[in-house]
Amino acid sequence: MLSKHDPPILLAKVDANEESNKNLANEYEVRGFPTLKILRNGGKNVQEYKGPREADGIVEYLKKQSGPASAEIKSAENASFFIDEKKLVIVGVFPKFSGQEFDNYMALAEKLRSDYDFGHTLDAKYLPRGESSVTGPVVRLFKPFDELFVDFKDFNVEALEKFVEESSIPLVTLFNNDPSNHPFVIKFYNSPLVKAMLFANLSNEGVDSLKSKFREVAEQYKGQGIGFLLGDLEASQAAFQYFGVQESQVPLIIILENDGKKYLKPNLEADHIATWVKDYKEGKVPPYVKSEPIPVENNEPVKVVVADTLDDMVFKSGKNGACDC
């Protein structure tokens, strides 16, 4: 199907388990199977494939990837078709399609085209949101959450990329069964931020206060290296198994650091969210370690140590000893 495209799009397959292909697999950082990569310019430009995994979806995705990295928007009709209310879309507004700003924008679009839809236009009046009289150069990022659009005028490529990555994560990511939210959940978990996750039954009465307080805290710590996610109990069963927690503990907040350390507060009340997160930031909350119950009797010559007694019985005891773990 792709060979009939104009120009043809070539597919190649490599058995990375073959000894003769090991170097190639290492060069392209293949860590699992199947891995799909998009190669351009003779392999000088390599991107992860992030599209569907069935035949028709692969074809449509690669047809789009084979075209220009950014599409020109020439009318309001163009814009309404291109700017999907449920997706992130980035549009550059320029007085002319030349110059350093335009070149840098196109370089950004080429680099991030697997992750976002890019467009460019000479007239902001075609666009559905924001000031329509600007002539640019300006980058306008449309999003289906928070303030719905945001503008940026620094055309350094690294600054543009940082702006796009930071602006494309909601202030509070919603994790529920709505498929349109799933790309943002994936982006949240893949981000380098410390992750603060509040799990609750979002269909319960009275949950609005919890959501409101959590959002206030997210506003307070915006730009301080913490991302915030609100997870619905029904959609979060896999997360509960991963963290080893129970439904009876909701409302439950978990903070996960990049080194794997976890901090947990079960049965949280709305008014306690800000205080607990503040205590975490100040180092007053101990890391969470899943523990067996502390034994009621522990008088045998060989003591039973559980996670909750490890520190006091072993590290702070001042005694030598041996542990059968």
Side-chain angles (χ1 to χ4, degrees):
M1 292 165 71
L2 288 172
S3 68
K4 297 174 183 176
H5 186 262
D6 185 18
I9 300 170
L10 305 181
L11 296 185
K13 60 181 178 179
V14 178
D15 185 348
N17 275 326
E18 288 286 341
E19 193 61 36
S20 59
N21 294 328
K22 294 289 186 182
N23 289 339
L24 188 66
N26 289 334
E27 179 183 350
Y28 290 105
E29 299 180 347
V30 175
R31 300 285 182 263
F33 306 113
T35 292
L36 282 75
K37 303 273 185 174
I38 300 173
L39 279 66
R40 296 187 176 86
N41 302 322
K44 294 176 183 177
N45 186 319
V46 183
Q47 293 172 325
E48 296 291 332
Y49 175 90
K50 297 182 179 180
R53 293 292 177 122
E54 77 286 349
D56 290 341
I58 293 172
V59 169
E60 289 306 311
Y61 185 85
L62 288 179
K63 282 182 178 179
K64 183 178 178 182
Q65 290 293 312
S66 69
S70 178
E72 184 180 355
I73 296 173
K74 300 179 180 180
S75 67
E77 185 179 6
N78 264 173
S80 63
F81 177 78
F82 183 72
I83 300 171
D84 189 322
E85 291 184 355
K86 292 189 176 183
K87 291 174 60 179
L88 284 162
V89 179
I90 302 151
V91 178
V93 180
F94 299 95
K96 58 181 181 178
F97 294 151
S98 61
Q100 190 65 53
E101 289 91 349
F102 181 73
D103 291 345
N104 285 3
Y105 177 77
M106 294 304 287
L108 176 79
E110 189 65 52
K111 184 175 182 179
L112 300 182
R113 63 183 296 163
S114 294
D115 301 305
Y116 305 98
D117 291 333
F118 285 87
H120 55 277
T121 186
L122 295 172
D123 196 340
K125 292 186 178 66
Y126 298 147
L127 305 180
R129 305 168 217 157
E131 175 56 53
S132 62
S133 63
V134 296
T135 55
V138 63
V139 173
R140 182 164 292 169
L141 188 150
F142 296 90
K143 48 187 180 176
F145 51 78
D146 298 341
E147 66 271 50
L148 300 184
F149 78 92
V150 59
D151 287 349
F152 193 69
K153 295 185 179 181
D154 184 344
F155 278 83
N156 173 278
V157 176
E158 288 185 2
L160 278 171
E161 185 173 0
K162 183 179 179 183
F163 157 72
V164 169
E165 293 295 344
E166 290 182 352
S167 301
S168 62
I169 298 177
L171 180 66
V172 176
T173 300
L174 181 60
F175 182 17
N176 59 13
N177 287 324
D178 184 348
S180 66
N181 288 326
H182 293 174
F184 305 113
V185 174
I186 292 169
K187 180 174 282 292
F188 171 86
Y189 281 114
N190 287 340
S191 79
L193 300 173
V194 171
K195 295 161 183 65
M197 298 161 283
L198 176 62
F199 296 100
N201 188 338
L202 299 185
S203 61
N204 271 2
E205 291 185 12
V207 77
D208 288 346
S209 175
L210 199 72
K211 292 160 63 175
S212 175
K213 293 292 184 181
F214 192 59
R215 188 173 183 85
E216 286 177 15
V217 172
E219 288 274 10
Q220 181 182 347
Y221 291 98
K222 187 176 181 180
Q224 297 186 38
I226 305 181
F228 291 82
L229 175 140
L230 181 64
D232 184 34
L233 180 62
E234 184 180 352
S236 305
Q237 296 304 309
F240 275 50
Q241 291 179 17
Y242 176 79
F243 289 115
V245 294
Q246 307 296 323
E247 291 186 16
S248 60
Q249 293 175 294
V250 300
L252 165 72
I253 188 168
I254 299 173
I255 291 181
L256 177 66
E257 295 182 341
N258 292 327
D259 62 2
K261 283 184 181 176
K262 297 182 281 288
Y263 302 81
L264 183 148
K265 178 67 173 175
N267 307 121
L268 187 68
E269 295 181 15
D271 290 339
H272 297 164
I273 296 174
T275 302
W276 189 83
V277 175
K278 181 175 181 290
D279 286 346
Y280 159 76
K281 287 287 287 182
E282 294 176 353
K284 298 177 181 177
V285 178
Y288 166 73
V289 180
K290 188 176 181 181
S291 176
E292 295 292 330
I294 298 173
V296 176
E297 293 186 3
N298 205 3
N299 299 319
E300 298 298 321
V302 177
K303 306 299 181 185
V304 177
V305 177
V306 296
D308 286 341
T309 59
L310 179 65
D311 197 43
D312 288 334
M313 292 184 66
V314 178
F315 300 126
K316 294 180 180 179
S317 69
K319 300 177 182 178
N320 295 323
C323 181
D324 182 9
C325 299

